[in-house]
Each structure stands twice: as structure tokens, then as C-alpha cells.
Amino acid sequence: MSTPTHLTKTITDPEEAMTHSIQTPVLDRSPERRGPAEPRPRTRASLVSQAKELFTGLGPGIIVPLVLMLGLVAAAAIPAALAPSGPLDMNPAEAFTAPGTAHWFGTDESGRDVFSRVIHGARSSLLIGVLATVIGLGTAVVLGALAGLGTRAVDFGVSRFLEVLFAFPGLLLALLVITILGPGVVTTTIAVGLSAAPGYARMIRSQVLSVRRSGYVEASIVQGKSRAFIVRHHILPNVAAPLFVLATLGVGQAIVWASSLSFLGLGATPPDPEWGSMLSLGRLYIGNAWWLTFFPGLFIVLSAATTTLLGHGIQRKLKDK
Amino acid sequence: MSLDTDNRTTSHSIAAPATRDTEARARLKTVLRLTGFRILGAAGVLWAVATLAFFAMRLVPGDPVDALLGGPGNNATEEVRQATRELNGLDRPLLVQYGSYLGKLVTGDLGDSYQLREPVAQVLGEQLGNTLVLAVLALATAWVLALALALWSARGGKVATLVGNLLEVVSAAVPHFWLGSLLILVFSVSLQWLPATSGAPGIEGLILPVLTLAIPLAGFLGQVMRESMLTAMNSPFAISSRARGESEASLSLRHALRHAALPGIGLSGWAMGSLISGAVVVETVFARPGIGRTLLQSVLVRDVPVVLGVVVLVAAIYIIVTLLSDLAERWADPRLRAA
């Protein structure tokens, strides 16, 4: 009655560890723990109740980040409607106003409303996060699929290449890319995307390999199905869901990294309302205006936490199915 | 301390001394061979890193001669440019340059900085200690925090689950520069307990930067350790220990803790890499000298030899720590040795 696979599971790399830890079902949310289902009313309101059911069915693990995410997307889409003033509107008379009813998040050294700037900053942060993830995942899908579907020699080559890239940890690869491409918003996006790619590629490779070795793929091979058929009908659908989770998690990470690069002065340039560079400037006045440091950072954390929670929520949902 | 799943120890003690000897020798041989392979592999990766970085740096736009002569705006004559080129070996074919770069690298010569006019090895030698102190202290702090968190939250219950979920968020979503700034706000600006900068020697200046680096890492390690510990607490050996009447506290301290520590050991190489990369930000936040800040300044002015030097140095540290953590994991976990 030994469970060898269970016991010998030792986590050796962070990516695997991350997915491993994420995939644990949270006991509190298992269906049998939930209270008895309410009797369904048979009135006209069935549409409402259906929506309600869908809502509760998703669970708070998805609903809360989803609502936050909608708020951020709204800020990114229609900042002018949400923010009381423009991101660059100066009012020197009101410089360094503390947070209050007039200025929720206070004002900066030029009297610009921090709340408005933070709201206007959502667009660039989300855009950079999404684009960097697209770049990273795009590169990773190519590399991961090559390694996972290719011959043994191709797999070996790609895996060694990834191993070399892993020796440039974290921001280092991004800094290397920026040295070549020069600082700026576009290059930051590319740099963040490329530096996230090796991690994704390794996960995609192992996912593809595990699907490839599964029983149903073997059965299809025996049935004489073509390679293209197997890739389309078995491998893609099974890799797509984890890929979606990865993308959601990746956006948050990319936002954090891109804002770090902006903070270091390599991304967005100061007058633009970018969270990282706002914080970097705000730190000059950390002794007398804490809000210049606090609020831009809070929004970075909020948006990254939102996508992380959403990604984990979706992952648990998929796992439950 | 014997690992609970390893029941070979008993059979060994019964075996005749002669058999034990040959067996031990055979095992030592396997370990040495495996270690040798791993060292060779690590050297190969290091070579590949140096090569990749070298050729990547050739993609940096602009003539390196301009950088050597003080920026693109210089008005040096063509003769001076040509002389500079020859002096720095830039007129030779790329492969010859690559060969001499590798040859120098083996002897620890990383070339001269464009900006500082000093050997890169000397510049980095002065700064490396600062960064390593920071990174090693942060790693140790993160370990202690993560183990404590794992031990506490593995008991289960609503609060522990909540904390576990919170850890995910903290480790993934809180950027170093914000955390560091908040610590400065609280401990330097409001309470005035600790200095906001970390330039001067002394332990006070180290506390905040170390915490800034350690907290997100502890969040991540804590998650992994908690996971591994929960698995151990539900495995057959734990059930049999409970059946023998062992208390939960003793079970978690005597047995599960070791399981919790294992992924932490295995992840140390990765953690060290991410700490040094985090040092770029943290050293900037706390105005602390180190290779992170040196790297940032070199990236801004495109001081190619320094960037190349830092990248190769950090990669070497990463590769060595990964190698050591692999070997340490093998040593700490007998199940990995069986193969």
C-alpha cells in the first residue's frame, strides 16, 4: 500500500512548485462543505436566480478579484470618466495637499491630483502587463511546443537553451535586453515578456510531454490518427486551459516587473502617469508626503494581486471539474 | 536522524561488515560520478552563458569606440579612433575577440569599464561583498520566516488557510520597491528607529534592506514548505506515527519539518538568483552600494564590459549555488540517492 509517486514528489524548481502549490484543492471550498442548496423558486425570476446561481457557483475566490479586475479595466478604458481631473493638470497652489475629501489621494509637488494620475496610470500598466505576457507566452509556446513535440535532439537543444536562460535570474535578463534595445516603454514591455518566457516555456514543455505520454494520445496513435489530428484534438485543448491560467498569473507578474523597471528609470518617463515612475518621483518627498509613495504602489499590488487571485481561482475551478 | 521512509538502515546493520564495505564504496563511487557530471554540466552552462552574453552585447547599437572616447558626441579624429580600436583589439575579427574574451575570463579578467576606466573585475570585487552580505542574510531570514510560517499554518483551520492564500498574494504581487519604501516610511520617517539609507557600515542599515528582500521570498518559500509539510503529514509514515501515539506537535517537529525544509534547499539556487536580481531594486531604494546598483548604472550608460561582467558573475553565482543546493538536497533526502 505504498504510494511511491506521492512520496517521491520533491519540488526542484519554482515554476513547478508554483503550479504544484496552486493545484491543491482548498478544502473549505469543496462542494460538500457548502450549506444545503436553496430551493429554486419557480417564478419569473428564474433568470435572476440562474445568474445568482452562476455567481455563487463561481465562489468568492473568483468573484472578488473579478470585480476588482472590472474596476481596473474600467479605469484603463475610460479614465476621464472616473478621474476628477486630468493626469497632467497642475495647480501649484495646492501642492502637497494631504489626502482628504478634495483630493482622495492627495496632490504631488506640482499640485497634480494623485488619484487622477493613478486612475490614468491603469491603462499603461494593464497594457504593458498584457502585451508583455503575450510576447512571453508567444515565445514560450514556440519553444515549449518545439521541445514537447519535437524529436529527442530538438528537446535536448531547447531544454539546454532554457537552462542557460535560467542562469539570468529575474530582472537580469530584462536588464540585458534593455542594454541592447535602450530604455523606454516599448523596450520594457519586450524585455519583461522575454525574461518571463523561459519559465513559461518549461511549463508548457512539461505539460505537452505529459499529455503526449497519456493513454488517450497513445490510443489515437494506435487508431492511426494523424499527427496534426492529435495535436489539434488532444494536445491543444489540454494545454490551453493551463495556458490560460498561466497567462492570467503572468499579467500580474509582468505588471510588477514593468513597474520595477520604470521605478529604476528604464521604462516610462516622469510626466507620464505610470505607477512605477510616480512612486520613484514620490520617494523624493517621502519625508513629508507619504501618499506619493503609498498610493501608486498600492495600485500595483492591487492589480497584481487581482490577476494572481483570479488565475488561482480559475485554476482551482478547472481542477474541480 | 533517519528519514522515516528509509527502512534500509536496519538491513544494513544486520549485514556482514565486508558486504557493507563494498556497498559503501560502490555508493561513494556513484555519488562521486554523479557529482562529477553535475560539475561538468555546470561548467558547460557557464560557458554557454558567457558566450550568449558576449554575442548579445555585440547587438548593442553604436560603435564601441564612441563609448570608449566618452560618448557619441566626441570629436576625435579618425586616427585617434583607429588607434583606440587597435588598442582595445576591436579591429580584430569577432571570433578572435571572442577567443581572447574567453581566455581572459578563465583568468578572471573581465576587461575594462568604458565609463570608470578601471578593470571590471576590480569594480565588481569592491561591490560584490556588499551584495552577497545582503543576499545571504535575506535568504537566511526568509528561511526562518518561511519555516515558522509553514509550521504554524500547516496545522490547518480557517485562519491558516487564509494566511496561506495571503502568502501567495504577498509573494507574487508586492514589488520590492514599494515594500522597501513602506518600511522606510514606518521605521525611518515615522518611528525613526532605523536609517533610511544603507550606505554606512553597521547592522542598523542592513535591517530594512534585508527585510525588504526576505519578506516576498519568505512568502513564496512558506507556500512551498507548507505544501510539502501537509503532504508529509498525510503520508503513510505520519499515519503510522500517529497510530503509535505520537503527538501532532512532535510529529511536525521531528518528521514533517524535514520534509518542509527539502524544497527550501532545492530552491536555494533559484532564490539566490532572484535575491541578487532583487538587489538591483533594493540597493537603489536604500542607496546601498553593490553590484545591483553598478549594473543599473552601467545599463543606463551602456557600459558594455560592466554589464557583461555582472551578468556572467551573477550567472556563475546562480550556477554554483544551484549545484550546491542540488548536492545538499541529495544529501538531505535519501530517497533521491536511491537512483
Side-chain angles (χ1 to χ4, degrees):
Chain A
M1 56 154 274
S2 66
T3 49
T5 48
H6 182 58
L7 282 174
T8 51
K9 176 77 189 158
T10 311
I11 295 147
T12 47
D13 74 275
E15 263 78 35
E16 194 194 336
M18 222 177 258
T19 40
H20 178 64
S21 71
I22 294 156
Q23 282 171 351
T24 332
V26 172
L27 291 174
D28 298 19
R29 287 199 197 114
S30 61
E32 56 269 21
R33 281 273 191 100
R34 249 183 248 135
E38 282 170 35
R40 194 181 294 185
R42 281 171 296 151
T43 50
R44 288 192 295 134
S46 70
L47 203 73
V48 177
S49 79
Q50 252 176 0
K52 205 172 161 190
E53 203 169 288
L54 184 76
F55 204 68
T56 46
L58 282 173
I62 293 187
I63 297 298
V64 173
L66 204 61
V67 169
L68 281 170
M69 178 53 88
L70 284 180
L72 282 170
V73 170
I78 41 163
L82 297 172
S85 62
L88 302 174
D89 294 354
M90 291 193 217
N91 186 1
E94 287 190 321
F96 295 122
T97 312
T101 44
H103 298 285
W104 290 359
F105 292 178
T107 61
D108 67 4
E109 71 278 8
S110 315
R112 292 174 293 206
D113 183 44
V114 174
F115 178 69
S116 303
R117 282 174 66 73
V118 165
I119 291 294
H120 280 273
R123 181 179 294 175
S124 70
S125 285
L126 286 190
L127 213 59
I128 291 173
V130 170
L131 287 179
T133 309
V134 168
I135 292 171
L137 271 181
T139 316
V141 164
V142 173
L143 286 173
L146 260 179
L149 296 172
T151 59
R152 202 171 276 254
V154 173
D155 183 20
F156 182 83
V158 173
S159 298
R160 292 295 84 75
F161 178 61
L162 291 180
E163 206 173 301
V164 171
L165 289 186
F166 274 115
F168 303 101
L171 285 176
L172 218 63
L173 196 56
L175 288 174
L176 203 63
V177 174
I178 288 177
T179 312
I180 297 168
L181 298 178
V185 181
V186 178
T187 53
T188 309
T189 312
I190 297 172
V192 169
L194 287 183
S195 51
Y200 294 150
R202 187 151 72 170
M203 279 188 269
I204 293 170
R205 174 186 170 268
S206 62
Q207 188 73 30
V208 170
L209 277 180
S210 76
V211 174
R212 192 183 164 182
R213 288 184 192 134
S214 64
Y216 49 86
V217 167
E218 226 165 79
S220 284
I221 294 171
V222 173
Q223 283 169 22
K225 294 274 167 37
S226 75
R227 208 180 158 73
F229 179 90
I230 293 172
V231 169
R232 210 155 5 99
H233 287 260
H234 294 308
I235 298 193
L236 268 183
N238 279 296
V239 173
L243 209 63
F244 181 66
V245 173
L246 218 57
T248 318
L249 292 173
V251 170
Q253 199 56 47
I255 290 175
V256 169
W257 281 19
S259 64
S260 296
L261 290 172
S262 289
F263 173 81
L264 294 174
L266 299 168
T269 37
D272 290 340
E274 203 278 339
W275 296 336
S277 68
M278 280 173 74
L279 205 157
S280 168
L281 268 186
R283 271 175 43 83
L284 297 174
Y285 311 101
I286 198 166
N288 57 349
W290 57 268
W291 52 91
L292 295 183
T293 305
F294 182 76
F295 289 111
L298 184 71
F299 268 70
I300 298 170
V301 173
L302 216 64
S303 50
T306 299
T307 55
T308 308
L309 286 174
L310 201 61
H312 288 188
I314 295 169
Q315 188 157 35
R316 286 192 188 112
K317 208 79 212 155
L318 289 172
K319 182 93 180 158
D320 285 350
K321 268 187 190 169
Chain B
M1 189 162 112
S2 78
L3 200 82
D4 320 272
T5 48
D6 186 15
N7 49 12
R8 284 170 303 173
T9 11
T10 21
S11 62
H12 284 177
S13 54
I14 302 163
T19 355
R20 212 191 308 162
D21 243 33
T22 30
E23 212 172 283
R25 213 174 297 143
R27 188 181 286 185
L28 187 71
K29 224 172 159 183
T30 333
V31 168
L32 280 181
R33 205 178 54 211
L34 263 171
T35 313
F37 273 128
R38 294 284 295 118
I39 290 174
L40 269 183
V45 173
L46 190 55
W47 164 77
V49 164
T51 306
L52 185 70
F54 176 82
F55 286 106
M57 283 297 121
R58 294 288 126 174
L59 297 175
V60 173
D63 193 340
V65 171
D66 283 330
L68 277 166
L69 291 171
N74 70 82
N75 40 19
T77 60
E78 192 47 47
E79 281 152 41
V80 175
R81 295 174 67 92
Q82 191 56 34
T84 317
R85 223 169 261 146
E86 276 166 27
L87 196 67
N88 290 279
L90 291 167
D91 55 337
R92 292 177 295 164
L94 190 57
L95 277 179
V96 176
Q97 289 185 43
Y98 169 65
S100 89
Y101 157 77
L102 271 192
K104 281 182 179 171
L105 194 62
V106 173
T107 59
D109 184 354
L110 296 164
D112 291 347
S113 158
Y114 291 166
Q115 191 79 9
L116 304 162
R117 309 277 154 160
E118 268 180 84
V120 174
Q122 192 183 323
V123 176
L124 297 187
E126 288 161 12
Q127 311 283 356
L128 181 63
N130 277 326
T131 304
L132 279 185
V133 166
L134 188 65
V136 170
L137 283 178
L139 185 61
T141 312
W143 253 80
V144 173
L145 285 177
L147 269 180
L149 272 171
L151 264 181
W152 176 76
S153 71
R155 293 177 313 172
K158 267 228 163 79
V159 181
T161 313
L162 194 74
V163 168
N165 290 341
L166 199 71
L167 286 183
E168 286 175 359
V169 175
V170 168
S171 63
V174 178
H176 285 128
F177 59 91
W178 193 59
L179 182 59
S181 304
L182 285 193
L183 288 176
I184 289 178
L185 267 176
V186 175
F187 292 103
S188 306
V189 176
S190 295
L191 299 171
Q192 301 200 332
W193 286 353
L194 294 163
T197 56
S198 179
I203 194 79
E204 290 97 349
L206 263 172
I207 296 174
L208 293 185
V210 165
L211 279 180
T212 306
L213 274 177
I215 289 171
L217 181 63
F220 179 71
L221 284 181
Q223 248 172 279
V224 181
M225 287 178 176
R226 173 167 176 260
E227 206 57 48
S228 158
M229 195 152 158
L230 283 176
T231 312
M233 294 288 268
N234 293 320
S235 58
F237 83 80
I239 296 167
S240 74
S241 287
R242 282 197 197 96
R244 284 199 303 270
E246 190 158 7
S247 72
E248 284 297 305
S250 146
L251 183 66
S252 59
L253 280 176
R254 282 191 50 214
H255 300 299
L257 192 61
R258 187 170 170 137
H259 287 262
L262 278 178
I265 296 175
L267 285 171
S268 291
W270 169 84
M272 197 67 188
S274 80
L275 283 174
I276 292 181
S277 127
V280 179
V281 173
V282 171
E283 284 169 1
T284 305
V285 170
F286 291 96
R288 182 183 161 80
I291 54 169
R293 256 176 104 201
T294 309
L295 174 64
L296 179 63
Q297 279 150 12
S298 317
V299 168
L300 283 170
V301 299
R302 286 187 168 165
D303 191 340
V304 170
V306 179
V307 174
L308 195 55
V310 174
V311 165
V312 172
L313 181 67
V314 174
I317 294 172
Y318 169 82
I319 290 167
I320 291 169
V321 178
T322 308
L323 178 67
L324 290 179
S325 76
D326 272 10
L327 297 176
E329 200 179 24
R330 206 165 276 277
W331 168 77
D333 188 350
R335 293 169 301 183
L336 291 176
R337 272 182 248 149

